[in-house]
Amino acid sequence: MEKVIIIGSGCAGLTAAIYTARANLEPVVLTGALPGGLLTTTSIVENYPGFANGIDGTALMMEMQQQAERFGAKIRFGSTVESIDFAGQPLKLTVDGGEMETQTVIIASGAGHRHLGLESEAKLEKKGVTYCATCDGALPMFRNQPLVVVGGGDSACEEATYLTRFASKVYLVHRRDELRASKIMAERTLANDKIEPVWHSEVTEVLDVAQDKVTGVKVRDNPSGEESTLDCAGLFIAIGHVPNTQLFRGVIDMNDAGYILPKRGQETNVAGVFVAGDCSDHVYRQAVTAAGQGCAAAIDAERFLAALEQ
Ligand code: NAP
C-alpha cells in the first residue's frame, strides 16, 4: 500500500511530490496524459519567482520533476486514474487497469482548455483549430497566413503575440471591447502592429469550404448581430479552462462549475483526500499559487498520516 498518491503532475502535483518525498513518504505521481501539465504548453514563464529572465514552461516542469525524483518520488508517466473508491481506508484507485491502495490522495488534476462548443470546431480540431499556439503555431500550415485567436485574457494575448512570429496577421476576436488580460500583457498586445482586435464579436462557425482544413471563420458582431467572414488558416481558442474533476463528481464536494471545494486548508470532505491547484482554484490560477497549494496539501497529508499512526 502507498502512503501518498498524487494525481497530476503540474506545479501543484510536483510541488506536493517534492514535499511528501522530502518527508520520506515515497509519493507516487500519476502524471496523466500531459506530464508537466498545462505549463508545458506555454512559452516563456515570466512571473515564476526565482527566474529573473523568465524560464521556458517545459524546462520549469522538468526541473520540478527531477527535484521530486531526487528525493524519492516515483513518477508514473502517462498513468491515468479510471475510477476511485474513497468509501474508507485504504483509499482505492483503478489505474491503467490495475488497483492501487493508498492512505492519502492529493488531487492535482488541473484544468483543460475550454471549447467554444461549435460543431465545426470539433470537426476541424487538428485541421486548423487548436488550443495551443506554442504547440502548433510553428506548423507550416500557419506560416505567413492570417490567423484568428479567440479570447480576451492573458492566454489569448500571449497566444496572439506568439503567433505574430509566424502569421502574416493575427485577428484577436473578443466578445467585449476590453481585454481581461493583465495591463502589461494587454498593452503589449494592442501595441503590436500585426495584431488586429475584433471587439464585441464571437466566432459562430469555423469554415473549411470542403477542403477539410480551416479557411476562415464566421464572426458575429454582438451589438448589431451582423455576421462577416474572416479568412484565416487557423483558429486558436484561448477562452479559459474547465477543471479536470469529472472522476470525483458525487464523491468530492465541488461547485457547479466542477471546481473542488476544500473544507479546511487543502482537505476535502473525504478523510485522507487533499486537493491543490487549478482543479480547485478558479480565482488565482497561477503557477506559483498552484505550487503553494501543492506544498500546503503535502503538509496536510503528512499531518494526516502522522495522526493515523498514533
Ligand atoms: P481567463 O482569464 O478566464 O480569460 C478567458 C477569456 O475568454 C475572457 O476574456 C473571456 O471573456 C473569454 N471567454 C470565455 N468564454 C468564452 C466563450 N464561450 N466565447 C468567447 N469568449 C469567451 O483565462 P486565461 O486567459 O486562460 O487565463 C487564466 C489564468 O491564467 C488567468 O489568471 C491568467 O492571468 C493566467 N495566465 C497568466 C499568464 C502569464 O502571466 N504569463 C499567461 C496565461 C494565463 P470575458 O473577458 O468577456 O469574460
Side-chain angles (χ1 to χ4, degrees):
M1 178 161 61
E2 307 296 341
K3 293 191 189 77
V4 184
I5 289 182
I6 298 168
I7 304 174
S9 54
C11 283
L14 288 179
T15 305
I18 292 166
Y19 274 77
T20 48
R22 280 176 56 81
N24 275 341
L25 298 175
E26 298 175 329
V28 176
V29 179
L30 308 174
T31 68
L34 186 62
L38 272 192
L39 220 58
T40 61
T41 68
T42 197
S43 52
I44 191 101
V45 181
E46 288 183 331
N47 51 11
Y48 198 86
F51 299 93
N53 299 311
I55 180 167
D56 173 78
T58 302
L60 176 62
M61 298 321 296
M62 286 183 72
E63 288 285 342
M64 281 193 201
Q65 178 205 310
Q66 285 161 15
Q67 194 176 356
E69 284 178 314
R70 183 155 74 89
F71 297 114
K74 294 169 274 183
I75 316 275
R76 283 186 47 172
F77 290 96
S79 282
T80 48
V81 183
E82 282 134 27
S83 64
I84 52 159
D85 175 358
F86 289 170
Q89 282 288 337
L91 304 162
K92 295 180 186 147
L93 302 94
T94 309
V95 179
D96 304 334
E99 188 163 280
M100 295 182 81
E101 291 187 346
T102 180
Q103 289 174 298
T104 66
V105 168
I106 296 175
I107 303 173
S109 50
H113 298 289
R114 175 175 286 130
H115 294 199
L116 288 171
L118 304 171
E119 215 175 285
S120 51
E121 170 193 11
K123 185 181 138 204
L124 290 165
E125 188 170 346
K126 298 198 169 74
K127 294 173 181 168
V129 172
T130 150
Y131 301 87
C132 178
T134 15
C135 318
D136 301 329
L139 291 175
M141 67 195 285
F142 299 131
R143 292 202 178 233
N144 301 312
Q145 300 290 327
L147 303 174
V148 169
V149 174
V150 186
D154 279 323
S155 298
C157 288
E158 193 174 75
E159 304 241 315
T161 305
Y162 179 74
L163 289 171
T164 57
R165 297 186 197 185
F166 315 104
S168 57
K169 172 180 193 131
V170 178
Y171 296 101
L172 181 61
V173 177
H174 182 35
R175 62 186 178 183
R176 295 185 294 129
D177 61 1
E178 190 188 357
L179 295 174
R180 176 180 294 279
S182 56
K183 200 164 180 280
I184 184 168
M185 200 81 105
E187 282 175 0
R188 200 184 290 169
T189 306
L190 296 176
N192 191 318
D193 288 343
K194 278 178 112 178
I195 298 175
E196 181 178 326
V198 183
W199 299 118
H200 42 69
S201 295
E202 287 179 51
V203 170
T204 54
E205 193 182 345
V206 195
L207 305 170
D208 63 346
V209 201
Q211 293 181 28
D212 210 25
K213 64 173 188 184
V214 172
T215 55
V217 292
K218 246 189 215 169
V219 173
R220 182 184 59 229
D221 176 68
N222 282 334
S224 68
E226 275 174 25
E227 286 205 319
S228 59
T229 299
L230 290 175
D231 291 334
C232 64
L235 174 64
F236 290 76
I237 299 166
I239 59 169
H241 300 93
V242 181
N244 297 323
T245 55
Q246 285 288 85
L247 187 68
F248 310 105
R249 207 167 267 276
V251 177
I252 302 289
D253 287 347
M254 56 183 75
N255 68 13
D256 291 345
Y259 287 95
I260 292 176
L261 299 168
K263 256 176 49 177
R264 193 183 48 169
Q266 301 306 126
E267 288 173 16
T268 70
N269 57 304
V270 175
V273 180
F274 305 87
V275 68
D278 286 5
C279 62
S280 73
D281 170 22
H282 59 97
V283 179
Y284 302 107
R285 295 178 299 181
Q286 303 299 306
V288 66
T289 50
Q293 290 160 11
C295 160
I299 292 171
D300 285 350
E302 196 185 331
R303 288 182 182 156
F304 177 86
L305 286 165
L308 268 191
E309 276 167 23
Q310 279 170 9

